[in-house]
Amino acid sequence: MSKRQISMVLDLNKCIGCNTCSIACKTLWTRDEGMEYMWWNTVNTLPGKGTPKNWEEMGGGFRDGKAKPGHIPSRDEFGEAWAFNYTEVFEGGKKGKGSHLQPAGKPEWGPNWDEDQGGGSYPNGYSFYMPRICNHCSNAACLEACPRNAIEKRSEDGIVTINEDRCRGYRFCMSACPYKKIYFNEQTKTAQKCIFCFPRIDQGVAPACARQCPGRLRFVGYRDDEEAPIWKLVEKWKVAIPLHPEYGTEPNVFYVPPLNPAAFDENGNIDESKPRIPDEYLISVFGPQVLDSLKILKAEMAKRKAGEPSELMDILIAYKWEDNFGGFDRDPQTIDWHMAGNEAHPIADDSNGRFAGSDEVSPVKIIDPRANA
Amino acid sequence: MKAQYIKNVDLKQLRDLKSDFWKKIQPNILPMNPTPVAMQPTQAIRSEWESKPYGLVKEVSLSAAHNGRFVAFRLEWTDPNQDENRHDNSIFSDGAAVMLASVPGAPVTLMGAPGMPVNILYWRADEGEQGRNIVAEGIGTSRTVDQEMVVCTEQWANNTWQVIIARPLKIDTKEGIAQLSSGKEMAYGVVIWNGAGGERAGIKSYAAGGDQLVIGEAG
């Protein structure tokens, strides 16, 4: 048990599925050899098979307090990093016989393969985006499963990390994690996963996925900080709920569920008595608490429409971006990351700002991508 | 079981599967069993493996020799699959290890105990010649102390692994390894992992040496 628990809330009503979060994470943490296929942050469309493919059917976690056997996702289920024919397209094309950019071979799955397919049928098709990172669970199945005690929960903030010096690549964590957010690195022969950007957290900076989100949908902070959005959204307003609570791992990433519009009837008229997204589906994803959460959200929206104040709506609107971060709002560009004990990144001399978020394009020389993400 | 002294051979010959002296040493045939599921250190492992077969290797042949400076253990076992390169997340390497009690009374079957270390001389197919010198003081505590002192030779042919694991008899270290010398006796055991069966960590075949390993007198 950690002394405090850091947490993230994601408001799914604001997610546009742009994957800026995924790219922020990818450029920061998973660019080394052996990490090509890793996406510690993913965004998928629900309903859908997700990443890895059919992860919700792979087991792991706990049922009735007992560890449930799970499946280790294969590389194909995650989706390999595709190799593209860049040279052919940009340098090898013959006049009149231009090649178009395409992956080598015939990929059959990828990290966002079923984007925007969704569910339902016309005129009541529906979908929403589901960004996912490691849940940094309070009852982490990965930590319990590791026979080498290589997985640790940081006492100061509850971030779950893998000690790669102890990890021997046995991958029990991969079968145990019911969210399937752990990857195996064939080069280092160790398991790797989202670290909640702890080197940034240690410096008071929110994770890259949160800071770079154009939709301002991510909130960060300690769960017990009653002045900050996490506590208010999870504990006070009870609108932020975990993904698949039945997995029994007590996740510390929470979601404000998607508001559910009314369905169309057979004549094309709006039928307020029927939701577009079936309640059963939302319950299957978020548990029964989702219906209460949606009721609260709708009530507060109605209050706001009537001109009444609503603390909840004010939080979710995120008027002031920095207020999303529960005190972890330090500008990463103000930090000398070398002095902060973090080793220099290979892109040290990149000064064109290509790692900068849209809100943080830097006119100064970039020392480290962490300074821009 | 005796690690026989072999005169006038160097480490290279000790590590050579074709060296003549190996033919003259009568191997010990050790029956192997799966490590008990109840001894697996985590609930997730116990839960997953309580109904799955493991401990697929049922027998191992063990011979041992030394030249006064280095000791070599020769292991042979049947394995229809040569699992040495990972191709996917669910593929595991074959492996083998010889466990030696570092101090008298160290429980080899339990991988040692606090203050009573065992020394594990470890080979894994995907790591090839570079073996690991490991110390453990109980299940789940194994720790690689170096990757230089233990060297291996491997060959897979005719559905059989032949592996030699060698190291200096004495190693200058404060770590809790087994320091070997002529006439010394100690408890020992052998472990085999069948990668194709998903075996790794505590999911393995184990053979306890029913007797003591004796380092043969030079002479």
Side-chain angles (χ1 to χ4, degrees):
Chain A
M1 180 71 79
S2 54
K3 289 177 201 154
R4 297 189 85 182
Q5 179 63 57
I6 206 160
S7 178
M8 189 179 286
V9 169
L10 298 90
D11 181 355
L12 297 183
N13 295 293
K14 297 168 83 175
C15 183
I16 57 172
C18 66
N19 270 297
T20 304
C21 47
S22 305
I23 298 299
C25 178
K26 185 74 187 165
T27 52
L28 192 50
W29 297 116
T30 61
R31 298 197 306 157
D32 291 342
E33 208 177 341
M35 304 175 102
E36 295 87 348
Y37 83 112
M38 295 186 195
W39 293 89
W40 292 354
N41 183 105
T42 48
V43 184
N44 287 105
T45 302
L46 285 185
K49 291 176 178 162
T51 306
K53 186 179 183 181
N54 291 323
W55 65 271
E56 289 161 299
E57 297 166 16
M58 289 183 179
F62 304 94
R63 298 294 188 280
D64 303 320
K66 195 184 172 201
K68 181 181 177 183
H71 166 74
I72 298 174
S74 69
R75 301 274 301 219
D76 285 345
E77 286 164 334
F78 277 114
E80 289 285 358
W82 303 340
F84 286 87
N85 56 337
Y86 293 116
T87 306
E88 184 188 2
V89 171
F90 296 120
E91 298 169 25
K94 291 177 184 172
K95 221 172 187 178
K97 287 189 175 179
S99 302
H100 65 275
L101 196 65
Q102 57 189 315
K106 282 194 170 182
E108 294 183 354
W109 197 251
N112 195 15
W113 187 270
D114 54 356
E115 182 176 23
D116 289 344
Q117 286 184 17
S121 55
Y122 181 84
N124 286 311
Y126 61 91
S127 67
F128 58 93
Y129 297 113
M130 173 52 70
R132 297 200 301 128
I133 60 173
C134 166
N135 285 298
H136 298 278
C137 303
S138 294
N139 185 28
C142 59
L143 189 153
E144 191 284 328
C146 179
R148 290 187 55 76
N149 299 316
I151 302 184
E152 298 155 1
K153 194 162 175 65
R154 302 206 320 169
S155 62
E156 63 269 41
D157 52 27
I159 293 174
V160 175
T161 60
I162 298 173
N163 180 342
E164 292 185 31
D165 291 332
R166 279 212 58 76
C167 177
R168 289 284 284 136
Y170 295 146
R171 287 159 272 173
F172 293 112
C173 54
M174 292 178 72
S175 51
C177 172
Y179 298 97
K180 303 302 165 194
K181 286 308 274 182
I182 303 179
Y183 293 79
F184 179 65
N185 185 322
E186 285 197 358
Q187 296 297 318
T188 62
K189 297 172 185 174
T190 57
Q192 296 176 324
K193 66 167 203 65
C194 159
I195 56 173
F196 211 86
C197 289
F198 74 78
R200 293 164 63 103
I201 291 293
D202 288 346
Q203 299 299 321
V205 181
C209 58
R211 272 189 79 91
Q212 292 224 2
C213 174
R216 302 185 179 189
L217 64 94
R218 298 196 186 215
F219 298 84
V220 176
Y222 289 118
R223 283 192 63 177
D224 61 356
D225 182 354
E226 297 187 9
E227 301 303 314
I230 298 287
W231 183 83
K232 289 179 179 172
L233 294 170
V234 176
E235 308 294 343
K236 182 178 179 184
W237 286 98
K238 300 188 189 308
V239 292
I241 52 179
L243 179 65
H244 287 298
E246 76 277 14
Y247 291 170
T249 61
E250 299 173 32
N252 286 300
V253 174
F254 299 87
Y255 296 90
V256 178
L259 286 158
N260 198 348
F264 292 105
D265 66 17
E266 57 273 20
N267 300 315
N269 299 315
I270 292 173
D271 179 355
E272 295 285 356
S273 70
K274 288 182 187 163
R276 180 92 64 87
I277 309 174
D279 286 348
E280 303 76 47
Y281 179 71
L282 289 175
I283 291 169
S284 76
V285 175
F286 299 105
Q289 199 187 337
V290 69
L291 300 183
D292 293 335
S293 168
L294 289 171
K295 263 186 214 165
I296 296 165
L297 282 167
K298 284 177 179 172
E300 289 301 305
M301 282 176 74
K303 270 170 64 179
R304 196 51 182 269
K305 274 185 187 169
E308 296 173 35
S310 167
E311 180 194 47
L312 177 59
M313 289 298 112
D314 286 348
I315 294 169
L316 293 176
I317 289 167
Y319 290 110
K320 278 182 73 183
W321 176 59
E322 290 88 349
D323 289 348
N324 278 25
F325 301 138
F328 293 93
D329 54 4
R330 198 169 165 199
D331 181 347
Q333 293 187 71
T334 63
I335 295 167
D336 181 340
W337 290 98
H338 298 91
M339 293 300 287
N342 296 289
E343 60 185 19
H345 199 278
I347 203 71
D349 63 353
D350 187 335
S351 58
N352 63 9
R354 70 188 165 103
F355 291 97
S358 57
D359 50 346
E360 289 182 87
V361 174
S362 170
V364 299
K365 184 174 180 182
I366 291 164
I367 296 169
D368 188 301
R370 274 167 282 227
N372 305 286
Chain B
M1 158 113 198
K2 191 174 186 179
Q4 199 167 313
Y5 174 70
I6 309 294
K7 213 171 170 180
N8 298 328
V9 296
D10 58 16
L11 176 60
K12 189 178 171 192
Q13 291 165 299
L14 274 178
R15 288 180 58 194
D16 188 346
L17 289 159
K18 294 193 177 101
S19 289
D20 282 342
F21 73 85
W22 285 116
K23 293 175 193 162
K24 295 171 190 163
I25 298 176
Q26 182 68 31
N28 241 9
I29 307 299
L30 300 172
M32 306 200 84
N33 291 294
T35 47
V37 75
M39 283 175 63
Q40 301 303 323
T42 74
Q43 193 193 109
I45 299 174
R46 292 191 294 274
S47 171
E48 181 179 347
W49 289 89
E50 64 189 359
S51 56
K52 278 167 72 170
Y54 69 94
L56 303 178
V57 174
K58 303 297 182 193
E59 191 175 85
V60 62
S61 158
L62 173 67
S63 316
H66 76 97
N67 66 357
R69 285 192 60 209
F70 294 93
V71 64
F73 297 91
R74 180 184 179 127
L75 302 157
E76 292 189 24
W77 69 95
T78 302
D79 186 341
N81 302 299
Q82 181 186 16
D83 305 308
E84 60 180 352
N85 291 313
R86 294 189 173 86
H87 304 293
D88 207 340
N89 293 333
S90 55
I91 306 295
F92 295 89
S93 288
D94 293 327
V98 174
M99 289 202 290
L100 306 173
S102 300
V103 295
V108 174
T109 307
L110 299 173
M111 291 179 65
M116 303 187 84
V118 297
N119 189 189
I120 300 165
L121 316 182
Y122 180 92
W123 163 84
R124 198 161 83 179
D126 64 330
E127 295 179 338
E129 290 191 359
Q130 186 182 52
R132 287 175 181 261
N133 197 18
I134 293 172
V135 167
E137 295 184 56
I139 290 167
T141 67
S142 63
R143 181 171 56 84
T144 299
V145 296
D146 71 71
Q147 290 178 252
E148 290 83 39
M149 292 298 166
V150 175
V151 288
C152 306
T153 305
E154 64 186 39
Q155 177 182 291
W156 183 87
N158 303 319
N159 296 333
T160 301
W161 272 114
Q162 295 180 300
V163 173
I164 291 174
I165 304 175
R167 56 152 267 200
L169 287 169
K170 286 189 176 298
I171 297 174
D172 185 16
T173 175
K174 289 178 181 166
E175 297 282 358
I177 68 158
Q179 299 287 1
L180 311 178
S181 57
S182 291
K184 192 164 181 180
E185 298 185 9
M186 72 210 70
Y188 69 100
V190 176
V191 170
I192 305 284
W193 290 269
N194 184 309
E199 294 183 7
R200 73 275 197 200
I203 300 297
K204 58 197 174 189
S205 294
Y206 175 73
D211 54 356
Q212 296 276 295
L213 171 70
V214 182
I215 306 299
E217 299 280 357

